[in-house]
């Protein structure tokens, strides 16, 4: 079998072991010839990566899973791929871990979370099942992972069906331990085709009682909510989620679906609501961020990681047999009512000395390869452009334009290389504060992650430049300062 064929439903849901070894070898050879493989971001060995799952700290290591379909760049029979790390930067591949193997997950192991309990790691996930008419049934399932990595699934579902008034669009369980009790949050759709977040409670992870829909807004949240996450930062409740079909009057966004958040003063478990919720806000101002998963780590930090990719979008890596990646890990804080997202401090372990200093109004550097971190400082009332992954003439690349006088920033990827997802626009424009501008930018071959003003805003973009596009060009109407570090590859 070659890998140039039409993806039928039968092929998408064929058991992994039914795929010929010849096909899998050919697929990995195809991946190896891709011009856009990443150096320090998590990416799939082959096939499709999407939602991060099970982000946790257990048995002395960080654990992270992601939804995987290893046989191609389509959404097919999903499983969880497992990685571990000692520093949140260098990730070791542990392989496929949670596979479809029962009558409750026969058509895919869908997204979920993980929670250490005593000396084991509890995994909660959605099992996807289809009948002969392709009608979906969703089950919320559990499994235990031992310190040696052995995994055993629970024989019966945690939650076998949605509550009355809700459809089978019912998935992505997040399990947390809060005030001496376990809580489970689920993305859901009611029978009026409106998105909601449902909450369940349990004293023991075995018996779950329905607490009702989470109260956090009076606005319609579109036709479905995916990937709800509730974390606590200095007593405040941060709710992250992905509303699908959201009206633009409720949140301005250009991506097919946004990743959004709300900050509450607290979570009231008796009334099941966020108290004094903020307005709905975009988690990221860029093009490609979705399905963020966050958790309260035992070291006191709230940590998050996201899927850099979007549902229902084709990417230029697809013909090379792989698709998508995960973001770097971010630390979340709330300061003066504002969410800050910063790269975890461990990211500095990737830096290769010596750094390159910048202090001119125009700087041009041939970075040789698009793998670096750059920190920039601009004074008040400055304006300029930053060309990332450009040719030496500065005629292309990902272009960041900023105007401090008017508090505006624009990101343009129309000339950054292979063009894709044009239906959702090739530019993003947004407001930034009029204080002196600081930028921290991570570039990794075909991914750019931008942190604005100490993480008050972020912007994420996939780009697919040619091999000649390795120039960094910074143009500004006044002198600025900055530092550039080349970065090493993961696990080097």
């Amino acid at each position: 079998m070659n890998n140039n064929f039409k993806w039928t439903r039968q092929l998408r849901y064929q058991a992994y072991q039914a795929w010929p070894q010849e096909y899998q070898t050919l697929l990995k050879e195809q991946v190896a010839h891709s011009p856009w493989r990443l150096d320090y971001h998590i990416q799939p060995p082959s096939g499709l990566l999407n939602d991060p799952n099970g982000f946790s700290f257990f048995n002395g290591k960080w654990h992270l899973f992601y939804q995987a379909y290893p046989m191609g760049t389509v959404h097919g029979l999903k499983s969880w791929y497992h990685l571990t790390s000692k520093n949140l930067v260098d990730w070791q591949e542990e392989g496929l871990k949670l596979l479809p193997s029962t009558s409750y997950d026969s058509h895919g192991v869908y997204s979920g979370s993980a929670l250490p309990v005593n000396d084991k790691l509890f995994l909660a996930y959605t099992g996807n099942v289809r009948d002969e008419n392709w009608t979906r049934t969703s089950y919320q399932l559990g499994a235990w992972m031992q310190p040696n990595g052995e995994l055993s699934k629970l024989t019966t579902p945690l939650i076998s069906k949605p509550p009355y008034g809700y459809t089978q669009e019912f998935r992505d369980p997040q399990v947390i331990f809060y005030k001496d009790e376990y809580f489970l949050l689920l993305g859901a759709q009611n029978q009026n085709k409106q998105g909601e977040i449902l909450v369940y409670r349990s004293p023991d992870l075995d018996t779950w009682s329905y607490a009702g829909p989470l109260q956090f807004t009076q606005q319609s949240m579109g036709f479905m909510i995916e990937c709800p996450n509730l974390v606590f930062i200095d007593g405040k409740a941060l709710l992250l989620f992905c509303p699908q079909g959201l009206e633009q009057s409720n949140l301005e966004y250009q991506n097919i679906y946004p990743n959004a958040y709300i900050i509450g003063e607290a979570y009231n478990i008796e009334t099941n609501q966020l108290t004094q919720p903020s307005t709905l806000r975009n988690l990221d101002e860029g093009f490609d961020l979705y399905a963020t998963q966050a958790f309260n780590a035992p070291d006191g930090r709230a940590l998050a990681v996201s899927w850099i990719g979007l549902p229902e979008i084709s990417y230029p890596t697809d013909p090379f047999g792989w698709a998508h990646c995960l973001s770097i890990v971010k630390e979340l804080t709330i300061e003066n009512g504002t969410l800050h997202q910063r790269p975890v401090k461990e990211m500095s372990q990737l830096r290769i000395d010596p750094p390159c200093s910048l202090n001119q109004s125009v700087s041009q550097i041939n970075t040789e390869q698009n793998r670096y971190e750059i920190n920039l400082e601009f004074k008040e009332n400055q304006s300029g452009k930053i060309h990332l992954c450009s040719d030496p003439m500065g005629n292309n690349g990902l272009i960041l334009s900023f105007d401090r006088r008017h508090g505006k920033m624009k990101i343009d990827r129309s000339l950054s290389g292979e063009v894709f997802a044009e239906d959702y626009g090739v530019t993003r424009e947004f407001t930034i504060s009029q204080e002196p501008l600081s930028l921290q930018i991570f570039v990794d071959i075909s991914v750019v992650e931008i942190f604005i003003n100490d993480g008050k805003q972020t912007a994420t973009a996939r780009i697919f430049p040619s091999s000649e596009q390795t120039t960094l060009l910074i143009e500004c109407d006044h002198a600025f300062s900055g530092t550039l570090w080349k970065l090493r590859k993961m696990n080097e």
Side-chain angles (χ1 to χ4, degrees), residues 261-327:
Y261 74 93
I262 283 176
I263 299 173
E265 285 299 309
Y267 170 54
N268 187 319
I269 62 176
E270 301 307 322
T271 60
N272 193 26
Q273 67 179 144
L274 297 189
T275 58
Q276 301 179 47
S278 69
T279 57
L280 186 65
R281 302 169 186 170
N282 278 310
L283 187 65
D284 189 87
E285 304 289 356
F287 298 88
D288 298 285
L289 187 130
Y290 194 75
T292 297
Q293 181 161 102
F295 80 108
N296 287 107
D299 62 10
R301 293 184 290 181
L303 301 178
V305 65
S306 305
W307 173 27
I308 302 181
L310 286 170
E312 303 169 38
I313 300 292
S314 297
Y315 283 76
T317 57
D318 291 2
F320 292 92
W322 70 284
H324 312 312
C325 62
L326 297 184
S327 71

Side-chain angles (χ1 to χ4, degrees), residues 195-424:
E196 294 188 14
I197 297 172
L198 306 184
V199 178
Y200 289 75
R201 298 168 67 166
S202 174
D204 54 11
L205 293 173
D206 185 26
T207 304
W208 293 90
S209 59
Y210 177 51
L214 179 67
Q215 304 300 313
F216 62 95
T217 182
Q218 297 298 315
Q219 298 175 316
S220 170
M221 289 292 103
F223 62 78
M224 176 65 191
I225 287 179
E226 292 191 319
C227 306
N229 275 244
L230 183 62
V231 292
F232 299 93
I233 302 173
D234 296 331
K236 298 185 185 297
L238 173 65
L239 179 67
L240 310 171
F241 61 101
C242 297
Q244 297 186 330
L246 186 70
E247 292 288 340
Q248 290 283 335
S249 58
N250 291 337
L251 181 69
E252 290 187 17
Y253 66 97
Q254 286 183 255
N255 297 343
I256 181 172
Y257 305 125
N259 205 153
Y261 74 93
I262 283 176
I263 299 173
E265 285 299 309
Y267 170 54
N268 187 319
I269 62 176
E270 301 307 322
T271 60
N272 193 26
Q273 67 179 144
L274 297 189
T275 58
Q276 301 179 47
S278 69
T279 57
L280 186 65
R281 302 169 186 170
N282 278 310
L283 187 65
D284 189 87
E285 304 289 356
F287 298 88
D288 298 285
L289 187 130
Y290 194 75
T292 297
Q293 181 161 102
F295 80 108
N296 287 107
D299 62 10
R301 293 184 290 181
L303 301 178
V305 65
S306 305
W307 173 27
I308 302 181
L310 286 170
E312 303 169 38
I313 300 292
S314 297
Y315 283 76
T317 57
D318 291 2
F320 292 92
W322 70 284
H324 312 312
C325 62
L326 297 184
S327 71
I328 61 175
V329 179
K330 306 167 190 178
E331 180 179 358
L332 309 180
T333 61
I334 297 173
E335 300 167 28
N336 298 318
T338 299
L339 176 65
H340 288 247
Q341 304 174 71
R342 299 182 179 94
V344 289
K345 60 187 179 183
E346 289 88 342
M347 285 299 296
S348 64
Q349 296 179 29
L350 291 180
R351 293 173 179 170
I352 300 172
D353 291 330
C356 175
S357 296
L358 308 168
N359 54 10
Q360 306 171 60
S361 58
V362 178
S363 287
Q364 182 169 317
I365 299 173
N366 181 4
T367 61
E368 298 178 359
Q369 52 189 332
N370 296 318
R371 188 179 72 233
Y372 56 87
E373 172 195 347
I374 185 167
N375 291 358
L376 298 168
E377 299 288 340
F378 301 93
K379 297 177 181 178
E380 291 184 49
N381 298 323
Q382 286 187 280
S383 60
K385 290 184 178 181
I386 303 166
H387 304 249
L388 301 167
C389 307
S390 172
D391 66 11
M393 302 302 294
N395 293 325
N396 54 25
L398 181 72
I399 302 174
L400 283 67
S401 305
F402 60 91
D403 182 346
R404 307 300 302 129
R405 298 178 186 86
H406 300 96
K408 298 290 184 182
M409 180 169 281
K410 178 180 178 180
I411 303 176
D412 186 340
R413 70 176 177 188
S414 61
L415 299 175
S416 63
E418 295 276 343
V419 180
F420 67 103
E422 293 174 276
D423 289 349
Y424 302 97

